[in-house]
Amino acid sequence: MILIFFGPPGSGKGTQAQRIKDKYNMYHMSTGEALRSEVAAESELGLAAKAAMEAGELVSDEIVVGIVSNALNIVGGYDGIILDGFPRNLDQAKILDEKLEESDKKIDAVISLEVDREMILKRLAGRRMCQGCKTDYNVYFNPPPDDNECPKCGDQVICRKDDNEQTILDRLNVYENETFPLKEYYASKGLIHPISSSDIDSVFHECCKAIDSAKD
Ligand code: AP5
């Protein structure tokens, strides 16, 4: 199964993908997470991506498509792949279609997480993450300890560099101008499953319903 999580920054793509991958034994391909690992490793790719990410802009299609193509070839041991944060513009969507066609695969469902702007701003301004085990915290919904030491692995809990107010607004603008039009692209193919904002468990329940209906 090939599943796309679609939605603005802070809509919960990563949160839901973590749960869905465990329940459905799927490979979770987060382009944002893959890029952050490259930046942390100071690889050539990471150095090329860093400035765009910190400015809230899209990284070049060439870099991102390379990362996703590698992931699409990882099939052994998994019952599918979750694309979280890809595609993010029409060119990426068309390249994905071509790559899938070459290997006789197809997108099964596009889950569109729908959250209003005010809630997005709160979620992203409050998000914190363990830099070691990547556990997600949120000062409003699931606060980290006062000393910011992750109880799971002892590493530091930090704020993502692109989660400052100005960059959040820039990311939202990029989403509206470049990514949102994809919703129509996938709706015209009958693949969109819209899910309205709610608590994490309820959204997970709705995601499972959408996936189960796409599998039938
Ligand atoms: P990426 O890492 O993909 O960032 P994003 O799309 O901005 O998404 P986020 O990770 O911010 O949000 P999310 O929807 O995953 O929400 P989350 O579950 O964390 O990309 C980062 C950058 O990389 C981009 O800006 C770009 O530069 C580059 N990039 C990535 N892909 C690219 C591509 N294809 N092409 C070009 N460039 C690319 O949730 C957010 C918070 O809310 C968390 O604290 C969470 O706990 C909380 N939360 C989630 N759901 C709920 C809920 N239901 N109720 C209460 N709290 C909730």
Side-chain angles (χ1 to χ4, degrees), residues 6-17 30-36 49-61 64-65 68 84-89 92 113 115 119-120 122-129 136-139 141-142 160 162-163 167 171-172 174-175 196-204:
F6 180 82
S11 54
K13 303 182 295 293
T15 302
Q16 296 300 330
S30 159
T31 42
E33 206 44 59
L35 288 165
R36 278 186 289 281
K50 190 170 188 250
M53 292 180 77
E54 289 181 2
E57 293 161 5
L58 294 187
V59 171
S60 77
D61 290 350
V64 176
V65 167
V68 174
D84 160 8
F86 183 90
R88 252 174 153 102
N89 59 35
Q92 291 182 8
L113 298 174
V115 184
M119 178 56 83
I120 286 172
K122 186 170 181 183
R123 285 187 188 176
L124 291 181
R127 176 168 59 187
R128 301 290 181 271
M129 187 183 284
D136 177 81
Y137 298 92
N138 194 295
V139 296
F141 309 111
N142 172 29
R160 243 169 72 172
D162 58 352
D163 277 347
T167 313
R171 285 158 63 202
L172 281 169
V174 168
Y175 172 78
S196 303
S197 172
S198 183
D199 61 274
I200 292 174
D201 287 342
S202 304
V203 174
F204 177 64

Side-chain angles (χ1 to χ4, degrees), residues 3-156:
L3 177 68
I4 294 177
F5 267 111
F6 180 82
S11 54
K13 303 182 295 293
T15 302
Q16 296 300 330
Q18 282 295 335
R19 293 177 165 215
I20 294 294
K21 83 170 168 62
D22 291 338
K23 175 163 172 149
Y24 292 92
N25 185 37
M26 295 175 81
Y27 182 81
H28 177 197
M29 172 72 250
S30 159
T31 42
E33 206 44 59
L35 288 165
R36 278 186 289 281
S37 298
E38 297 288 345
V39 171
E42 298 183 344
S43 68
E44 200 178 322
L45 196 152
L47 292 174
K50 190 170 188 250
M53 292 180 77
E54 289 181 2
E57 293 161 5
L58 294 187
V59 171
S60 77
D61 290 350
E62 194 190 351
I63 291 180
V64 176
V65 167
I67 290 175
V68 174
S69 300
N70 290 340
L72 286 175
N73 295 328
I74 303 173
V75 280
Y78 294 100
D79 297 325
I81 182 162
I82 302 169
L83 295 174
D84 160 8
F86 183 90
R88 252 174 153 102
N89 59 35
L90 204 51
D91 285 342
Q92 291 182 8
K94 290 188 172 158
I95 293 170
L96 176 63
D97 287 345
E98 282 164 21
K99 294 219 170 280
L100 292 176
E101 209 175 306
E102 279 164 19
S103 48
D104 213 17
K105 291 179 188 152
K106 64 171 184 53
I107 297 163
D108 294 279
V110 178
I111 294 186
S112 171
L113 298 174
E114 322 224 318
V115 184
D116 67 48
R117 198 176 170 92
E118 202 184 326
M119 178 56 83
I120 286 172
L121 293 173
K122 186 170 181 183
R123 285 187 188 176
L124 291 181
R127 176 168 59 187
R128 301 290 181 271
M129 187 183 284
C130 171
Q131 61 182 0
C133 67
K134 310 287 179 212
T135 296
D136 177 81
Y137 298 92
N138 194 295
V139 296
Y140 300 110
F141 309 111
N142 172 29
D146 289 343
D147 60 2
N148 284 323
E149 190 177 298
C150 177
K152 291 195 180 161
C153 75
D155 216 324
Q156 274 296 105

